[in-house]
Amino acid sequence: MTQITASTVLPARREHITLHTDDGLTLVGELARPAEHDPVATLIALHPLPTHGGMMDSHILRKASYRLPALADLAVLRFNTRGTLSERGRSEGEFGAGEAERYDVAAAIAWATAAGLPRLWLLGWSFGTELALKWGLDPAVEGAILLSPPLKRAGDAELDAWAASGKPLLVLVPELDDYLRPDEARRRFARVPQAELIAVDRAKHLWVGEPSVRIVLREIVRRINPAAWPLPTEWKD
């Protein structure tokens, strides 16, 4: 048995993918699926603010793709929104301040649907939560998981739309977040009856450190594939 650490990459089928937006851009990404069978559900990852270093390789999203196909039978689709650069490459276009990115979210959902991927969930982190709330209410989407939501670009109107949809929201709010802390988050998300809000003690906006990573991945799996919960901390070689 091998201890799962910050650098662990578990077996999966990984492929580079290309998304095409309705406004004519090409976006780069990656799909990771379980190595030997079909996934039971799919995460479409929406990364933090690209003007502050956010990208498809932001660590929580990268570690989700490294671990969850093997540990929880989940597919993880990551991509760079317009103008964003990572090791995978740069997506075409320029940062759209959360507005033009509506086409990026739609392209990812359309690609996943066309690929026959099951049970689509959005996994947004920081800026990515804004994209999920503003542009993710697609019929093909089952629900959304929000990490460190700032609720700046997305506000009460978007929360009301999610409330009316009945689609589930899982909201993870760090105790020491830079933008929205648990007490205020509870007040804001109270208008979404089906939202499950979890305050995470001692965590910060960027979820730095293996304990924080494990909390996030564990809660994702608990909500989407409880049969694989709790996640192991070791891997059988």
Side-chain angles (χ1 to χ4, degrees), residues 83-199:
T84 301
L85 174 68
S86 73
E87 183 177 327
R88 170 72 177 88
R90 184 185 296 275
S91 290
E92 292 179 351
E94 298 179 354
F95 175 61
E99 294 297 320
E101 284 81 4
R102 72 182 71 187
Y103 300 110
D104 305 355
V105 176
I109 294 170
W111 192 96
T113 301
L117 293 171
R119 297 184 55 216
L120 307 185
W121 279 73
L122 302 177
L123 171 61
W125 179 8
S126 192
F127 173 69
T129 70
E130 313 274 52
L131 301 186
L133 289 171
K134 287 173 70 69
W135 314 121
L137 266 180
D138 186 282
V141 170
E142 185 170 319
I145 297 166
L146 310 179
L147 311 178
S148 307
L151 290 185
K152 293 184 179 295
R153 292 176 175 86
D156 290 349
E158 287 76 20
L159 294 177
D160 289 346
W162 277 86
S165 77
K167 292 177 185 266
L169 289 178
L170 175 63
V171 187
L172 273 64
V173 180
E175 177 189 16
L176 305 175
D177 196 89
D178 298 314
Y179 304 102
L180 185 72
R181 293 195 173 185
D183 286 347
E184 177 67 7
R186 290 188 188 98
R187 186 185 70 80
R188 297 288 303 276
F189 279 96
R191 62 197 310 126
V192 187
Q194 71 273 25
E196 179 186 3
L197 191 147
I198 298 173

Side-chain angles (χ1 to χ4, degrees), residues 16-18 25 37 49 54 60 62 91 111 139 166 183 195 198 206 212 215 227:
H16 287 171
I17 63 171
T18 302
L25 300 182
H37 50 268
L49 194 64
I60 289 283
R62 185 180 70 248
S91 290
W111 192 96
D183 286 347
I198 298 173
L206 297 180
S212 290
I215 289 170

